[in-house]
Amino acid sequence: LTKEEVERLLSSCTEGFYPFVYTALNTGMRKSELTYLRWKDVDLDKRKITVHSREDWQSKSGKSRTVDINDNLFRFLKEYRHQRSEYVFCTKDGHPLANNLNRRFRNAAKRAGLSGISIHNLRHTFASHLVMAGVPLGTVSKLLGHADIKTTMIYVHLSCDHLKEAVNKVNF
């Protein structure tokens, strides 16, 4: 998604769904990692989120990893912190925000005038914008929790404008 599309998507999210989408865009975390994220795994002092398997949920690789919290997400999470559940993204009654996530996303995307995208596109958007900002692929791979940089290459979609800028850096 372009920055303009991201802005439209965020403005189209319901109040209860916005925090989930905003965090996904700023961390590149997987849908399931966000769904079962607990406050005790969010360390605002160190600005880190720990993703690890538990009895009730398995991470994709089964391994633990940490995700850094950027400045914007840090400010957001400080304001957003609620006490109704151990889960960061939850329903009003405290259950993980697991039901109807895909439907919620499709509805927000439709209101934003976007089609053919899924929640997983937020992870692709995170990776692509990091690469377009000049972040090395190895770093992006680590941020996404990939064991192999080849997997990261699947996530990297560069905008046409970025490609034009890149080719203009060669000037013979």
Side-chain angles (χ1 to χ4, degrees):
L1 302 175
T2 66
K3 286 187 178 193
E4 190 264 339
E5 290 170 330
V6 166
E7 289 173 14
R8 287 192 343 240
L9 177 64
L10 286 170
S11 67
S12 298
C13 288
T14 61
E15 184 180 340
F17 192 50
Y18 179 95
F20 185 95
V21 173
Y22 188 78
T23 302
L25 286 164
N26 279 282
T27 63
M29 291 173 67
R30 295 175 179 94
K31 178 172 87 170
S32 64
E33 293 171 342
L34 291 164
T35 301
Y36 297 102
L37 180 63
R38 299 173 303 181
W39 281 115
K40 69 182 187 177
D41 299 321
V42 178
D43 186 337
L44 291 176
D45 292 330
K46 293 182 181 174
R47 293 183 178 212
K48 302 255 183 217
I49 294 171
T50 303
V51 175
H52 55 88
S53 295
R54 321 184 286 267
E55 280 185 29
D56 63 335
W57 177 77
Q58 287 289 316
S59 67
K60 184 169 181 180
S61 68
K63 297 177 182 176
S64 295
R65 70 184 177 102
T66 57
V67 177
D68 288 287
I69 298 171
N70 68 25
D71 293 341
N72 288 336
L73 184 58
F74 172 74
R75 285 188 294 276
F76 177 80
L77 289 174
K78 276 179 61 175
E79 292 293 319
Y80 172 69
R81 189 168 180 98
H82 60 74
Q83 302 298 319
R84 66 183 176 270
S85 175
E86 69 175 310
Y87 293 100
V88 176
F89 310 109
C90 62
T91 61
K92 290 181 181 171
D93 59 359
H95 297 290
L97 192 66
N99 292 336
N100 304 314
L101 282 174
N102 291 330
R103 182 178 52 80
R104 287 175 189 228
F105 186 81
R106 276 193 311 272
N107 289 341
K110 186 177 179 179
R111 287 189 297 271
L114 304 170
S115 61
I117 63 170
S118 70
I119 289 174
H120 198 69
N121 287 93
L122 304 176
R123 190 165 159 82
H124 285 256
T125 299
F126 173 80
S128 295
H129 283 268
L130 285 173
V131 171
M132 289 187 289
V135 176
L137 279 177
T139 302
V140 175
S141 183
K142 183 161 177 56
L143 289 169
L144 291 173
H146 291 155
D148 188 337
I149 201 165
K150 290 178 192 170
T151 306
T152 308
M153 292 301 297
I154 296 166
Y155 285 77
V156 179
H157 312 281
L158 302 178
S159 73
C160 292
D161 290 342
H162 186 74
L163 294 173
K164 286 178 191 173
E165 289 174 25
V167 76
N168 281 321
K169 291 183 181 192
V170 175
N171 191 7
F172 294 108

